[in-house]
């Protein structure tokens, strides 16, 4: 690559982009780790995007109508950190760049949502960012349809590398964007032909442009170092009604000795080579030293959006009071007042009527009540709408001719759905929930983990939550998925026992601002166990005494979900023999763990035998059985020890020994 020719062709542009390249080299050298090559290769695209197209105001990073920029190739985080510093985001100081990847710095190894304004999502696991971007773009479409262009009228830009496009989830994301003609979504492919192991051809020969075209995208190919070509391509992409992919032919680690090699992907810290690269750029200042005229040009870029933002604010201020309040509320993730009373009314009705229903159906009953008062909910399912019970009457279906639709047919794309839902939640103004089978949390898991890590309240509706689903057999019967979900920090896992607990779980999931929820719901019908109406949300305490022992308390049976009614039946057997037995329902372990010790002791006092019942593996149960004043010798578990089988549900419960008799026998063996 002839660096001198590039410099000569666009001297001003060159030096502005060189600021990104040199900051990257300096920060990676200071940390002695990181990824230099990607930011050096994509600096030209980023410079043109930020300076000529991106609608943003560095002084107001939360402006709801800003364009979103997502660095899907998150290992190239110095690209984003450099841009945020150069354009004048106050938090992104030079010191933060100097402390790249160090303890306490907001410049983590990969962009982390919440560390600094201007980072729209956590990327690093390749493929997530481009899939989040689909959700960002969908949220924008939905909100534009509802509030009009006056309030919502922006683009979502994403930079994806070869790695993002090789990851399977990108296929799901690309398909969704193409199907829904998300014309405001513009993806740049950093087409540098290099990954860690070597050239892309080692492991792939996909024609990416044909692939995107086949999925319904508008596709262009450009020299990713030519600012005019980049500008023209973005302009054309914006004009297209289709999502756009711009294949940017670039050179990884441009201008460095490691250019165009896999060595260029990683940390370029050799001081001699670093100085040679800077000399080739025509960069004469020292480490982290940006010449004043270059910095002020970038700062001007960062403040250019202030006028557009002020105009937007004036348009918002001119809206009706009601609309302004609602707009502010949905972006603040606040719940509207009527939610609590609607939930209470449903709970009362259910306690009176005591229906026998599957909790997936209970969930639908709750959503029928919730969705009309929460215009921000957007539901969906990965091709299991009738099984997940996620669609309610009033939602309408999101489509090219109905952007107001609040239900999304995600297709058989659990991972893409979860990642796009995260994108929606991050965009703001939308509360996404989506369903699949609990066993397929595995397929959605990388995005579920990121929801937890980012602290966003995505709701995962996971039905068919045990062997209780019956004949579909062990492939579909989760046994370890509750434990996996519970092992994930900052995740609320709800396994409600009946419709009342399901309503309470939904209320908590929707009230959360920074914790995702997994709703683990049954296929099979369950009796109502909460027949005495309580206005208070008992699930909020995570676990509570559902049935007290009669006489001296000698045993406590702890159960969740479908096994709570088994626990109650076991209690009947034990009480009939004069063994005082308490039943504790535990719909959300995480919330119970958060209660103070006094409450936990009240629910789980020392002394009585403890038996846990759950149609899943034991992992995690020991805290409640042996810990919390329990004793190993006086505790037992009735559940699954391996995978399930194909048979009717009641046969499976019998054969796997999850019955009232088995629980009662277990208690007696421990007395
Ligand atoms: C899901 C996932 N798998 C593996 C990695 C580790 N990883 C980081 S970058 C990278 C190679 C990516 O290649 P490319 O997208 O072409 O980036 P470039 O070499 O152009 O910087 C890999 C395997 C990751 N970050 N995420």
């Amino acid at each position: 690559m002839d660096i001198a020719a590039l410099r000569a062709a666009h001297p001003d542009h060159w030096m502005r982009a060189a600021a990104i390249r040199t900051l990257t080299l300096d920060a990676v050298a200071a940390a002695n780790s990181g990824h230099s090559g990607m930011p050096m290769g994509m600096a030209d695209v980023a410079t043109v995007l930020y300076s000529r197209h991106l609608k943003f105001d560095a002084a107001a990073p939360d402006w709801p109508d800003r364009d979103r920029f997502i660095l899907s190739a998150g290992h190239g985080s110095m690209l984003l950190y450099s841009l945020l510093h150069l354009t004048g985001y106050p938090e992104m100081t030079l010191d933060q760049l100097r402390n790249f990847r160090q303890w306490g710095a907001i410049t983590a190894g990969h962009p982390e949502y919440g560390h600094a304004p201007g980072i729209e999502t956590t990327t690093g696991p390749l493929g997530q960012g481009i899939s989040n971007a689909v959700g960002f773009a969908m949220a924008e479409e939905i909100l534009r349809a509802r509030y009009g262009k006056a309030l919502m009228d922006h683009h979502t830009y994403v930079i994806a590398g070869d790695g993002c496009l090789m990851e399977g989830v990108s296929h799901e994301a690309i398909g969704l964007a193409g199907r829904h003609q998300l014309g405001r979504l513009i993806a740049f492919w950093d087409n540098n032909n290099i990954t860690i192991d070597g050239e892309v051809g080692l492991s792939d020969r996909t024609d990416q442009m044909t692939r995107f075209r086949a999925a319904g995208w508008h596709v262009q190919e450009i020299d990713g170092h030519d600012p005019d070509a980049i500008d023209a391509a973005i302009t054309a992409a914006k004009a297209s009604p289709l999502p756009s992919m711009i294949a940017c032919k670039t050179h990884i680690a441009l201008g460095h000795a490691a250019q165009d090699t896999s060595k260029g992907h990683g940390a370029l810290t050799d001081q001699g080579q670093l100085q040679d690269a800077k000399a080739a750029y025509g960069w004469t200042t020292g480490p982290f030293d940006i010449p004043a005229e270059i910095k002020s040009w970038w700062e001007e870029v960062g403040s250019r959006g202030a006028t557009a933002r002020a105009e937007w604010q004036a348009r918002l201020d001119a809206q009706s009071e009601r609309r302004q309040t609602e707009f502010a509320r949905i972006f603040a993730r606040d719940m509207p007042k009527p939610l609590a009373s609607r939930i209470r009314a449903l709970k009362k009705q259910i306690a009176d009527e005591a229906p026998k229903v599957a909790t997936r159906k209970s969930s639908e009953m709750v959503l029928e009540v919730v969705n009309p008062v929460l215009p921000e909910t957007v539901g969906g399912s990965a091709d299991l709408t009738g099984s997940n019970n996620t669609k309610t009457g009033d939602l309408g279906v999101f489509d090219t001719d109905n952007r107001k639709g609040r239900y999304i047919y995600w297709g058989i794309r659990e991972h893409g759905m979860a990642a796009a839902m995260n994108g929606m939640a991050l965009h703001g103004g939308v509360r996404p929930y989506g369903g699949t089978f609990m066993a397929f949390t595995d397929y959605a898991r990388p995005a579920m983990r990121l929801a937890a890590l980012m602290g966003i309240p995505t709701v995962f509706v996971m039905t068919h939550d045990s062997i209780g689903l019956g004949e579909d057999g062990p492939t579909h019967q989760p046994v370890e998925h509750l434990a996996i979900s519970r092992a994930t920090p900052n995740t609320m896992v709800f396994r409600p026992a009946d419709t009342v607990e399901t309503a309470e779980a939904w209320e908590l999931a929707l009230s959360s601002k920074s914790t995702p929820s997994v709703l683990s719901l049954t296929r099979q019908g369950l009796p109502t166990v909460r027949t005495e109406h309580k206005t208070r949300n008992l699930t909020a305490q995570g676990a509570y005494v559902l049935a007290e022992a009669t006489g001296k308390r000698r045993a406590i049976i702890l159960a969740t979900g479908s096994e709570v009614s088994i626990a109650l039946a076991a209690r009947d057997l034990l009480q009939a023999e004069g063994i005082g037995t308490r039943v504790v329902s535990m719909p959300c372990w995480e919330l119970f763990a958060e209660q103070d010790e006094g409450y936990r002791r009240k629910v789980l006092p020392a002394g009585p035998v403890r038996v846990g019942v759950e149609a899943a593996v034991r992992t995690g149960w020991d805290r409640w059985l042996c810990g919390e004043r329990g004793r190993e010798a006086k505790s037992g578990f009735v559940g699954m020890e391996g995978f399930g089988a194909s048979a009717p549900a009641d046969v499976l419960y019998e054969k796997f020994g999850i019955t009232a008799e088995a629980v009662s026998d277990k208690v007696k063996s421990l007395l």
Side-chain angles (χ1 to χ4, degrees), residues 78 81 92 96-97 99-102 105-110 115:
M78 269 312 299
Y81 300 149
M92 196 56 76
Q96 293 290 353
L97 301 194
N99 283 312
F100 178 49
R101 294 182 151 230
Q102 304 310 304
I106 61 177
T107 46
H110 296 84
H115 277 209

Side-chain angles (χ1 to χ4, degrees), residues 49 53-57 61 63-69 89 120 140 153-157 184 238:
L49 173 65
H53 293 277
L54 199 74
K55 180 171 79 167
F56 75 108
D57 177 0
W63 175 20
D65 198 29
R66 67 191 181 281
D67 284 344
R68 307 301 198 268
F69 170 68
Y89 282 75
E120 303 285 3
E140 195 269 346
D153 188 19
H154 59 259
H155 287 82
T156 302
Y157 296 97
R184 301 298 187 93
K238 282 156 109 176

